[in-house]
């Protein structure tokens, strides 16, 4: 703590020296400008006095012949003086400027955050660590034989169990024709890839029933989570996973995004958009945009809102003020059609990336809604999807896709060429829903069914 405080103080001292140097520079420039103006005025004053003295002496001591002989010279001098518009040449703005020191109200709180915080962890003994590592190794290599019956066995409680339809929580995020598994083992898919990502942290729901359907990252510090089962948005620390604060939005949120100004945009279940400050204070509310079943929200660099409409099979684009700009799509499997479009993202070129869940592919459009490319098909092989959901893009334009029922997140080039899996079921990932990037090497994934948000390094 002392070492960090010393570094913060040193940084503040360095900034103080910089501000004082800037102040000296501004003062010297102002002083030099005023001195030049003073010299110019004094020169004009000397010229004016000289002309007046000359005219006065000729009129006082000269005879008529002398006055007539220098008439042209006196007239020229006086005419020159009369042509000078008094006051207009003087640079009054040099005298009216003032220098101010500006500091925002939240600057001091930002400095305090840089000091970090103190945590208390329970120390785990080496014996417990060895037991946990052995259990993980056994689970990893305990694959069943091809003839093994995967039905529920009383002696094998880890085997899959079909959940009754009456027990299923109704939600649009679970396709009607998909059998949900409880505690699916790592060997449930025999060709599950090994991605080898490192789990940095995971957030736990502060209350039972959290359904993290949308995530966004604000300034590489805050993970903003939309809880579709309640009317709240939660903000977690991206460094520790601790809950920073929660705020009520008076509507069931479907997704969240960050505006170019750093504010939080919340997509409601009725298609409305609420804009809140990072602290959760509502300052603007846009009514329903005509979206039937909103799922995903993205904001491009121009501040436009991009919404996916699953039931309407469309993507709708709104202007920064919330008015409709245009829409594209329609039901079908064509290049410019959708079947239950899910999440949406934009890249550094403002291209619109749409997860076409029903068609099991990703489609990319330019900022005007013109189709550019598509990639993926239904399946379990590399580059294939089974109900893809969350999408995001890194600073190079690479696309990351949450492959929901295949329990993995894949990395693709901007052209849609498969690169590798970032995280998969072997990394204990289950039902990835929404994705976001803290940086080009830190991935945020929401596990909708497990009520968790995880951060991986890859």
């Amino acid at each position: 703590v002392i070492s960090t405080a010393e570094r913060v103080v040193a940084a503040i001292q360095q900034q103080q020296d910089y501000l004082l140097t800037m102040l000296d520079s501004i003062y010297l420039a102002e002083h030099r400008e005023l001195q030049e103006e003073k010299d110019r005025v004094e020169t004009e004053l000397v010229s004016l006095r000289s002309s007046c003295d000359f005219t006065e002496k000729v009129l006082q001591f000269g005879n008529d012949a002398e006055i007539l002989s220098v008439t042209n010279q006196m007239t020229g001098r006086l005419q020159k003086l009369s042509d000078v518009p008094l006051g207009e040449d003087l640079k009054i703005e040099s005298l009216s400027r003032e220098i101010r020191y500006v500091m925002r109200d939240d600057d001091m709180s930002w400095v305090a955050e840089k000091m970090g915080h103190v945590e208390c962890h329970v120390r785990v003994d080496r014996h417990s660590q060895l037991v946990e590592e052995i259990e993980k190794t056994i689970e990893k290599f305990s694959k069943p034989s091809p003839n093994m019956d995967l039905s529920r066995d009383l002696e094998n409680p880890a085997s899959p169990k079909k959940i009754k339809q009456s027990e299923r929580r109704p939600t649009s995020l679970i396709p009607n024709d998909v059998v949900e598994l409880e505690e699916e083992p790592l060997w449930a898919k025999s060709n599950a890839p090994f991605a080898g990502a490192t789990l940095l942290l995971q957030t736990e729901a502060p209350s039972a029933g959290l359904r993290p359907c949308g995530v966004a990252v604000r300034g590489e510090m805050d993970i903003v989570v939309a809880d579709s089962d309640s009317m709240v948005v939660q903000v977690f620390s991206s460094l520790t996973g601790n809950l920073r604060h929660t705020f009520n939005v008076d509507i069931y949120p479907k997704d969240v995004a960050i505006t170019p100004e750093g504010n939080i945009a919340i997509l409601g279940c009725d298609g409305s958009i609420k804009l809140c400050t990072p602290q959760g204070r509502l300052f603007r509310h846009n009514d329903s945009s005509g979206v039937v079943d909103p799922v995903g929200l993205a904001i491009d660099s121009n501040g436009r809102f991009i919404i996916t409409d699953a039931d309407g099979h469309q993507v709708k684009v709104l202007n920064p003020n919330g008015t409709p700009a245009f829409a594209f799509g329609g039901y079908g499997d064509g290049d410019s059609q959708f079947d239950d479009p899910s999440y949406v993202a934009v890249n550094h070129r403002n291209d619109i990336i749409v997860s076409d869940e029903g068609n099991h592919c990703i489609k990319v459009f330019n900022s005007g809604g013109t189709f550019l490319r598509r990639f993926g098909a239904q399946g379990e092989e590399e580059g294939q999807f089974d109900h893809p959901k969350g999408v995001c893009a890194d600073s190079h334009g690479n696309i990351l896709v949450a492959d929901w029922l295949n329990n993995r997140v894949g990395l693709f080039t901007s052209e849609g060429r498969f690169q590798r899996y970032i995280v998969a079921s072997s990394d204990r990932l289950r039902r990835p829903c929404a994705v976001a990037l803290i940086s080009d090497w830190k991935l945020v994934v929401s596990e909708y069914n497990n009520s968790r948000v995880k951060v991986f390094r890859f």
Side-chain angles (χ1 to χ4, degrees):
V1 172
I2 294 175
S3 175
T4 301
E6 290 175 348
R7 292 200 302 270
V8 172
V9 170
I12 294 175
Q13 184 65 49
Q14 183 178 2
Q15 182 66 11
Q16 172 186 313
D17 295 341
Y18 167 75
L19 292 175
L20 292 177
T21 301
M22 179 181 294
L23 180 63
D24 290 340
S25 177
I26 295 174
Y27 169 76
L28 291 175
E30 292 280 353
H31 181 74
R32 183 169 52 253
E33 185 178 350
L34 290 174
Q35 187 63 45
E36 292 174 355
E37 188 66 25
K38 177 184 176 182
D39 295 342
R40 186 183 69 83
V41 173
E42 288 181 347
T43 301
E44 292 182 356
L45 181 59
V46 170
S47 176
L48 176 62
R49 285 175 176 171
S50 175
S51 298
C52 291
D53 290 345
F54 174 77
T55 303
E56 183 179 0
K57 289 180 180 179
V58 171
L59 293 176
Q60 183 177 0
F61 301 106
N63 54 34
D64 293 342
E66 290 175 336
I67 293 175
L68 290 175
S69 65
V70 295
T71 298
N72 292 336
Q73 184 179 358
M74 290 191 302
T75 303
R77 285 193 174 195
L78 294 175
Q79 183 64 41
K80 182 178 179 181
L81 292 175
S82 65
D83 288 342
V84 176
L86 297 178
E88 293 185 8
D89 257 1
L90 187 60
K91 299 179 181 178
I92 301 297
E93 65 271 13
S94 300
L95 303 175
S96 62
R97 288 197 296 260
E98 65 174 339
I99 305 171
R100 295 180 179 178
Y101 170 62
V102 179
M103 183 175 182
R104 298 187 302 270
D105 293 338
D106 60 344
D107 282 349
M108 290 305 300
S109 61
W110 179 84
V111 172
E113 285 185 2
K114 291 300 181 182
M115 277 296 299
H117 59 277
V118 177
E119 295 180 350
C120 182
H121 295 275
V122 178
R123 182 173 298 172
V124 181
D125 59 74
R126 182 58 183 161
H127 177 267
S128 300
Q129 291 180 343
L130 289 174
V131 171
E132 184 178 355
E133 291 175 3
I134 292 173
E135 289 177 349
K136 288 181 179 180
T137 304
I138 293 174
E139 185 177 11
K140 178 179 176 181
F141 292 100
S142 296
K143 289 187 177 181
S145 63
N147 298 325
M148 178 179 289
D149 182 10
L150 293 181
S151 60
R152 170 65 75 175
D153 185 353
L154 294 177
E155 297 182 358
N156 183 16
S159 62
K161 168 190 172 182
K162 292 186 178 180
I163 293 179
K164 297 178 182 179
Q165 187 68 25
S166 60
E167 298 175 347
R168 188 193 309 273
R169 178 187 294 270
T171 170
S172 61
L173 289 173
I174 302 179
N176 294 329
D177 57 343
V178 174
V179 176
E180 186 177 1
L181 299 179
E182 183 181 88
E183 297 300 328
E184 182 178 23
L186 295 180
W187 39 259
K189 288 183 178 292
S190 59
N191 62 343
F194 180 76
T198 301
L199 177 63
L200 298 181
L201 58 93
Q202 66 181 17
T203 60
E204 296 290 348
S207 60
L210 173 71
R211 293 288 184 174
C213 59
V215 296
V217 175
R218 179 184 172 276
E220 297 190 8
M221 294 293 293
D222 294 336
I223 300 175
V224 185
V225 181
D227 181 2
S228 65
D229 269 13
S230 65
M231 296 185 181
V232 300
V233 169
Q234 300 178 5
V235 181
F236 296 88
S237 167
S238 65
L239 299 178
T240 64
N242 294 335
L243 180 66
R244 289 184 182 271
H245 60 92
T246 299
F247 56 93
N248 193 291
V249 292
D250 295 325
I251 196 170
Y252 292 103
K254 300 300 291 288
D255 200 5
V256 288
I258 307 301
T259 68
E261 298 78 20
N263 295 310
I264 301 173
I266 301 110
L267 174 64
C269 61
D270 62 349
S272 64
I273 296 177
K274 292 189 175 185
L275 293 180
C276 298
T277 64
Q279 293 73 35
R281 181 179 60 83
L282 176 68
F283 66 89
R284 201 178 91 190
H285 177 255
N286 296 332
D287 293 332
S288 176
S289 53
V291 176
V292 179
D293 183 16
V295 177
L297 172 67
I299 302 176
D300 65 15
S301 62
N302 297 317
R304 301 187 308 173
F305 302 96
I306 304 166
I307 306 172
T308 53
D309 185 352
D311 283 355
H313 308 288
Q314 280 189 328
V315 173
K316 294 195 174 182
V317 180
L318 308 181
N319 294 314
N321 61 4
T323 59
F326 61 91
F328 58 94
Y331 179 73
D333 59 1
D335 289 341
S336 296
Q337 295 177 316
F338 302 106
D339 182 4
D340 292 333
S342 188
Y343 288 83
V344 62
V346 292
N347 61 17
H348 61 288
R349 293 187 294 269
N350 282 338
D351 293 335
I352 302 172
I353 306 166
V354 183
S355 174
D356 192 353
E357 184 176 347
N359 287 320
H360 306 281
C361 66
I362 305 299
K363 294 177 180 177
V364 183
F365 304 80
N366 68 13
S367 59
T370 301
F371 174 79
L372 297 178
R373 68 189 67 89
R374 64 188 290 174
F375 58 91
Q378 186 172 17
E380 301 177 1
E381 303 301 323
E382 289 186 353
Q384 295 181 331
F385 306 111
D386 194 350
H387 292 84
K389 287 193 177 293
V391 288
C392 64
D394 66 14
S395 61
H396 304 289
N398 297 313
I399 301 172
L400 289 85
V401 182
D403 192 355
W404 193 52
L405 292 184
N406 282 330
N407 297 310
R408 60 197 184 191
V409 176
L411 175 67
F412 299 79
T413 66
S414 59
E415 300 299 320
R417 186 171 64 256
F418 175 78
Q419 296 294 293
R420 64 187 178 95
Y421 291 111
I422 298 297
V423 59
S425 58
S426 56
D427 302 299
R428 295 183 178 274
L429 180 70
R430 184 166 183 267
R431 298 294 188 261
C433 185
V435 291
L437 284 171
I438 297 177
S439 64
D440 282 349
W441 55 273
K442 290 174 71 175
L443 173 69
V444 180
V445 185
S446 71
E447 289 185 325
Y448 182 82
N449 290 16
N450 281 345
S451 301
R452 291 194 187 100
V453 175
K454 296 181 177 180
V455 178
F456 295 92
R457 183 179 66 233
F458 60 92

